[in-house]
Structures are given as structure tokens and as C-alpha cells.
Amino acid sequence: MKNKIVAGNWKMNNDKEQTKSLLNKLNSYKIPDDVRVIVAPSYTHLDQSIQMLKGTQISVAAQNMNAASSGAFTGEVSAAMLKSIGVNSVIIGHSERRSLYHESDEILNNKVKSAIESDMEIIFCFGEELDDRKSGRQFEIINKQLSSTLFNMSELDWKKIVLAYEPVWAIGTGETASPSQAQEMHAYIRKIISNRYNDNLANNVSILYGGSVKPSNVKEIFKGSDVNGGLIGGASLNADDFMAIVNAF
Ligand code: 13P
């Protein structure tokens, strides 16, 4: 079964007190039973967030991890470290990691393998740049990004994978993909997964849309039959806005 999922990627925002305050606000809302809600605070507040969200419907993801299990990788965090504090989900492949920190498809493929070996759920991000879309190459780019990072995973591994289509030109720009652009790409993603694997797998993977989703545009985006939720940046920092999105299905 596909899950309806709304995940908040807090990026490098919120100190300890702000994290506490936002989580307290989120905890005061009633969440629909059929929606999974995930928040991704920074590494320094994961433990605190796990503690504050115990027994609630909100779970916690990390924003990144290293593919290695341990060793001389100054400043990095492993899957085992995340698991040891109760974090069972991780965002991999965000466009900011790809562009600012030069994470290649090969690096991302290694991270995916490492996360799967550690039995972590992966929210895998991908998306085309503005130039790709302007030149009509968006489908080719998405096909390449998925083929070189996820299509060597086994069918069983896909049980741990959630996809997040985030066109780079729509991230933090206020410009969102139109509901029909989002639906069209999500349907294409299902088609190439079906071609590589089978219909059953393609129909059961959750595909989230991300890029300037806000309360004012979310209802139309979520109407797409292949859109199973959202990965939310800016609007996830405000409890009212985030919960309006959670309630928008
Ligand atoms: P915005 O919602 O701020 O555009 O960010 C989207 C995003 O990058 C989520 O990972």
C-alpha cells in the first residue's frame, strides 16, 4: 500500500529552543490517521526530537548520512549512529547536497546501499534543473538520476524507499511545478519503475512532490493521482502551515 506522507525538511534551521517550541506546537495538532508525518531536524536536535515525539504520530528523519560505517571521516555521521538514537529514516540525494557538496550519483548509490544494510527508510530526492526543463530534457534527466542510484536495488530493498521528486527550479524559489507538471512527472516515474521492475512495485512506492509547497497551493498538487504527499522545506518551519499541508489530502 502506498502511504500518504508529509515530511518536513527543516534544513539548517532551528536551534535547541526553537526545535522544542516547533515540536510542542506540532504535537498539539490532531493528525489524520492515514497520513504519515515525518520531520527532519538537524543532527544536533535529532535525539531531543526523538524524545519529544515518543508516542506521537510524528517520526524523525535525518537530513543526510555518510555511506561508511565508521572511520576517519571528520564531521560525518553514519547510519549506525543514527540508528543508535532511534532514527530510522534518512533523506538522501537532496539537491542542496548534490550541488553544494558535490554528491554524485555514485556517492548517493553508496549511501542508499549503506542505509538499506542498516535497515533504514530512505527518502530519496531527485529533480531536474531549470535548463533541463527549458530544453525539454526533464524526463531523460530523471530517468538517469534514478537509473544510476536506485535501479540496481533489489525489489525487496524498495520496501524501504520513498521517492521525492523535487525540481531544482522550484526549491525555495516560490515557483512551484504546476499540479499537471507534478502529476505528469510522477506518472512517468511510475512508468520507468514498472519497466525496470513491475507494476506492483511501481504502484506501491510513495512518490512525494517537493518545491515551494505551501497551504495555498498544496490541495491542487495533492489532487494528482500519482502524488502521494510532499517534502516540505520553508513551510515546514511554521507549525500552522505544515499542519495545513498535512491536512490537505
Ligand atoms: P521549499 O519547500 O522551501 O521550496 O523546499 C523544498 C525542499 O527542498 C524540501 O526538501
Side-chain angles (χ1 to χ4, degrees), residues 65-106:
M65 56 169 262
N66 192 283
S69 53
S70 64
F73 302 100
T74 301
E76 293 292 290
V77 167
S78 70
M81 291 170 178
L82 295 171
K83 294 278 293 191
S84 74
I85 57 164
V87 176
N88 294 311
S89 304
V90 61
I91 297 173
I92 293 179
H94 193 278
S95 71
E96 287 146 22
R97 300 293 323 169
R98 291 174 190 258
S99 64
L100 300 174
Y101 304 100
H102 314 294
E103 294 192 359
S104 63
D105 286 343
E106 191 187 350

Side-chain angles (χ1 to χ4, degrees), residues 6-10 166 209-210 213 222 230-236 242 245:
V6 175
N9 175 9
W10 292 3
E166 298 204 306
Y209 169 79
V213 177
F222 281 5
L231 180 57
I232 319 299
S236 72
F242 188 60
I245 294 168

Side-chain angles (χ1 to χ4, degrees), residues 167-235:
V168 177
W169 48 273
I171 296 177
T173 58
E175 183 174 351
T176 182
S178 69
S180 64
Q181 283 172 325
Q183 167 54 29
E184 181 186 34
M185 184 58 84
H186 285 218
Y188 173 76
I189 293 162
R190 261 188 236 288
K191 190 179 88 185
I192 58 175
I193 295 172
S194 172
N195 290 345
R196 165 63 184 84
Y197 296 90
N198 53 59
D199 278 352
N200 186 45
L201 195 158
N203 291 332
N204 282 301
V205 65
S206 293
I207 311 179
L208 316 184
Y209 169 79
S212 297
V213 177
K214 12 181 207 281
S216 58
N217 60 22
V218 63
K219 277 203 160 65
E220 288 305 310
I221 293 171
F222 281 5
K223 271 187 195 156
S225 57
D226 288 299
V227 178
N228 310 118
L231 180 57
I232 319 299

Side-chain angles (χ1 to χ4, degrees), residues 93 98 124-128 142 145-146 163-167 189 207:
R98 291 174 190 258
F124 189 81
C125 306
F126 53 95
E128 81 281 3
I142 295 309
Q145 287 180 347
L146 289 179
L163 299 177
Y165 168 57
E166 298 204 306
I189 293 162
I207 311 179

